[in-house]
Amino acid sequence: MNVQITFKPSGKRVQVGQGTSLLQAARKAGVYIPTRCDGKAACLMCKVEIAPERAELAGHPNDAEQRKLGPLLNEGIRLSCQARAQGDIEVTIPEDRLKAAIRRQLERQALDDELW
C-alpha cells in the first residue's frame, strides 16, 4: 500500500510504500534533510516535525529514538531516519540553524536601515 508524504515548507509530495522511512521518502522527493550517520539514529541531525495529533502516522518510536529524543517526542519531533510512514502525512523540515541565524541578522539589519 502506498502513502503520500508532503514535506513543508517546500510543499513537495511523494508516494512511497507504507513503512518507508521519512528520510528515504525525502530523498526520493528531492528534499534535503541533513544527516551524517546515514540512518543509524546516531547524529540526531535529521529531526523533523510532525503535528502531535498525527504522530501515529509516523509509526511508534523505537527504543533508540526514544532514548535520543526523550521529551521532544511529545512535541512532535522525530528522527526522519527512524520514523516510518504508516499513512498520508505532512512533515515539516526545520530551518537550518545557521541559515536561521543569518536570516535573523539580515532582518535586524534591514530594520536598522529603515530607521535611519
Side-chain angles (χ1 to χ4, degrees):
M1 180 172 120
N2 282 342
V3 298
Q4 179 173 282
I5 302 175
T6 304
F7 292 95
K8 293 188 169 203
S10 70
K12 290 185 178 182
R13 295 173 188 220
V14 65
Q15 292 274 336
V16 296
Q18 186 177 24
T20 301
S21 79
L22 299 180
L23 181 60
Q24 291 170 322
R27 289 175 175 168
K28 182 177 179 182
V31 173
Y32 176 71
I33 297 178
T35 181
R36 285 197 181 129
C37 69
D38 200 33
K40 296 175 181 63
C43 71
L44 302 179
M45 292 180 68
C46 68
K47 291 182 198 128
V48 295
E49 297 174 20
I50 299 167
E53 65 273 8
R54 309 280 291 162
E56 75 279 355
L57 296 175
H60 186 73
N62 62 26
D63 290 342
E65 192 175 15
Q66 288 180 24
R67 278 193 313 277
K68 301 280 184 170
L69 294 179
L72 291 176
L73 287 167
N74 297 330
E75 298 172 25
I77 304 298
R78 296 292 302 270
L79 295 178
S80 65
C81 67
Q82 300 301 303
R84 302 204 172 271
Q86 301 302 313
D88 296 349
I89 190 170
E90 288 186 357
V91 177
T92 301
I93 311 298
E95 185 175 23
D96 176 84
R97 293 166 79 185
L98 178 58
K99 287 181 183 178
I102 292 169
R103 179 185 47 74
R104 286 191 299 272
Q105 180 61 32
L106 291 173
E107 288 170 354
R108 280 193 292 270
Q109 188 175 351
L111 277 174
D112 289 347
D113 290 347
E114 287 178 14
L115 295 175
W116 292 101

